[in-house]
Amino acid sequence: MAGSASRAEHSGQGASCSGRISPDGTVGIIANPVSGRDVRRVAARGAVSTTEDKRNRIARAVIGAVTAGATRIVAMAEPFGIATGALTDLRIDAEIEIVDVGATVSPTDTIRAVEAMRARDVSVLVTLGGDGTNRTIAGVWPDATLVPMSTGTNNVFPSLTEPTVAGAAAGLLASGVVDPEACAPRSKLITVTSGKGTSGKGTSQEGELARGWTEIALIDAVTLANDFVGNRMPADGVRMRQVLVSRAHPASIGLSSLAGLLRPCSFDDDAGVLVECGPGGRPMRVALAPGLYRTVPVIDHRGVELGETIELRGPTVLSLDGDRERTIGPDEAAIADVRRSGPRVVDVDRALELGAAAGVFETSRAPTGDRPLNAVAKVHYHHADGTPIRDCC
């Protein structure tokens, strides 16, 4: 991942004691069973991520984590058996806990899983999903430390890093070998708050905005005209009105890629970008989904400072990291800003560089790799409250 040095400089911004890693060797695994399988595969040409592929990725990530020093793995049980299928017969020298949160393949599964991980003092979370999955995690645990791996449709927040080394990076931080200040800076977060009435535009309105709902986005908050909440199809470019992004690059896929074509903004930049769209704008061809370019009429664009407030105008539908989540009414004020208050994100390249320099992979204490173990790892099955599901403890 590019920008290792400058990212480390940002790591203290927005950080708190609650956001620091407690290096007890515990790595959590959260895999969204439905990421990479939604209707957008029909409307575009995104790859399908199968259950077996996800199991294989988890197994590789866990082997990497334990090799780099993780001693305990915590994963969520769900109806597809992704984590259980990946871990039950894995030969690693680590304790494994499978947590049953009553998953029903709904968005609340991730919420309950994150709450269970936080209650167990998990040091680092390896996530398997898209921007939406990680947005849910950030909403529950904004101080979490993440190694996000991509399986969704339009992904900017998670990376396509090989799971083996992504897991190794998680293990290095969880074991305390690598300092998060050196390779896991806080990410940027977009916060959108609604209310009735507004006294101005682009200025601080603390105390003047009657508080309503609050939503977050890790990458983009976009207003769409004549759309509807819950629509899972790729956005129609002519319906885009305001595009506020925390980061963007010309090589990205999705709504944020528009900003990337006009005004690139990296993870390191203490800024965001706002693009205004609508009738009469300059037409641009944008890759809004894999294999799908659409025309977006661009009126204007500019940089946005951290903490600067932006008014999102109604009536419109608000899309957050690609998911249509809210309706903003004609008499409703929605105020958005970008701050460096999101989860810590592990720079995998930098973490491995530091781990290698520390000699972690040169010692005989690395407990996995190409040498066989004598027994399958012990697996514990617990309810979310910690009580055993079966006689495993």
Side-chain angles (χ1 to χ4, degrees), residues 93-117:
D93 188 10
E95 181 179 318
I96 298 174
E97 180 182 7
I98 305 295
V99 182
D100 186 351
V101 297
T104 59
V105 194
S106 74
T108 59
D109 295 347
T110 300
I111 294 174
R112 293 194 298 273
V114 175
E115 290 172 341
M117 301 280 179

Side-chain angles (χ1 to χ4, degrees), residues 80-140:
F80 286 77
I82 294 174
T84 52
L87 302 178
T88 299
D89 296 323
L90 203 59
R91 295 180 177 274
I92 55 172
D93 188 10
E95 181 179 318
I96 298 174
E97 180 182 7
I98 305 295
V99 182
D100 186 351
V101 297
T104 59
V105 194
S106 74
T108 59
D109 295 347
T110 300
I111 294 174
R112 293 194 298 273
V114 175
E115 290 172 341
M117 301 280 179
R118 182 169 56 180
R120 284 160 173 77
D121 296 323
V122 166
S123 300
V124 183
L125 283 176
V126 175
T127 67
L128 198 60
D131 291 345
T133 301
N134 288 283
R135 177 170 67 90
T136 299
I137 294 169
V140 179

Side-chain angles (χ1 to χ4, degrees), residues 42-66:
V42 177
R45 289 174 172 80
V48 176
S49 181
T50 65
T51 296
E52 189 55 41
D53 175 61
K54 291 175 183 176
R55 286 174 182 158
N56 183 275
R57 293 189 189 199
I58 289 175
R60 285 144 63 190
V62 168
I63 289 171
V66 175

